[in-house]
Amino acid sequence: MFQAIGGTPLVGLENLAAKAGADGHRLYGKLEGANPGGSIKDRIARQILVDAIAAGRVTHDTVIVESSSGNTAIGLAQLCATTGLRMICVIDARTTAAHRDLLRAYGVSIEVIDTPDAVSGEFLPARLARVRRLLAEHPNSFWTNQYENEAVTSAHISTTMPEIYRALRRPPDYVYGAVSTCGTLAGCQRYVEQRGWPTRIVAVDILGSGIFGVKARGNRTLPGMGAPYPPPFARFLEKAHVRHVSEEDCRAGCIRLLTSEGLMTGASSGAVVTAALTHMAATPPGSTHVLLLPDRGERYLESVFLHDTRVPGAAS
């Protein structure tokens, strides 16, 4: 299972570009749903566990603990299953039923946070508080901590960006990704800076998120995007372009990708599609744009694809 992670396809999105009137640009999608656990989070799950096992921090009787909206938990769960490790995951009310069912199928013990943090009104602080209690209750436990573990950025420095370069045979002009912990794009940005590439990283955030300063108005009901405050990895994204999208933009982007390329992807991918099609209008013709499409769409049927049966027109 460890060996099956990564090496995902980078495919041309010519139909999407043409329908959007952006056929003067080279548009590609990195299909992270092709990972065995169905998302880009498989990469960080592998790197975190490999590093922790090598350092002796995880042994055969260690309890793995994590807070997740779904995909990181599934990435860890499949690896815990193959190594015989017990796992406890803290999720919240926004986690989809599909994600919950998959975690149960893997034998993960689930702790659900139904009430947001009283001070911030957000679920994340409440989830992290539960994680700290679980660590105290289980002395031989290990928090994988996707929010601060340096293995997260290392995973994308060592795999994601090199794969993009090998597929294109040159640095891309722009790389777009949705943000929550900011670990994915932090790794991409660090790789670009280490090599002195001119590549620009475009961070796509959801309205209502506080990652890049004062929150813009907007509801955050879709899992896996945004955060109530700047996460530690956000410090690597000071040079990134930032685009904000609404939840309807996410859904519209998913429908555009489905109807143009036949790709059913998750809400974060829809956000990236909408942001990229808007942003590329201000970029030089012939630019190469790589869209990180984090996961598959089957887990979001009710929240995205069946949420509104209309096919949206031009993205806002």
Side-chain angles (χ1 to χ4, degrees), residues 249-289:
D249 289 331
C250 297
R251 295 185 178 99
C254 286
I255 297 298
R256 293 188 77 154
L257 196 57
L258 180 68
T259 56
S260 63
E261 302 289 353
L263 294 172
M264 179 175 281
T265 56
S268 297
S269 297
V272 169
V273 167
T274 295
L277 293 181
T278 303
H279 180 262
M280 69 173 55
T283 64
S287 299
T288 301
H289 304 259

Side-chain angles (χ1 to χ4, degrees), residues 19 32 35-36 52 64 67 74 113 116-118 128-129 134 140 142 149 151 155 171 202 218 235 242 248 266 271 307:
K19 287 185 177 181
E32 290 300 298
N35 281 302
I64 302 299
S67 155
I74 290 169
I113 302 298
D117 172 64
L128 296 180
L134 288 168
N140 189 19
F142 176 73
N149 195 320
V202 182
R235 69 187 186 277
V242 177
E248 286 311 308
H307 179 80

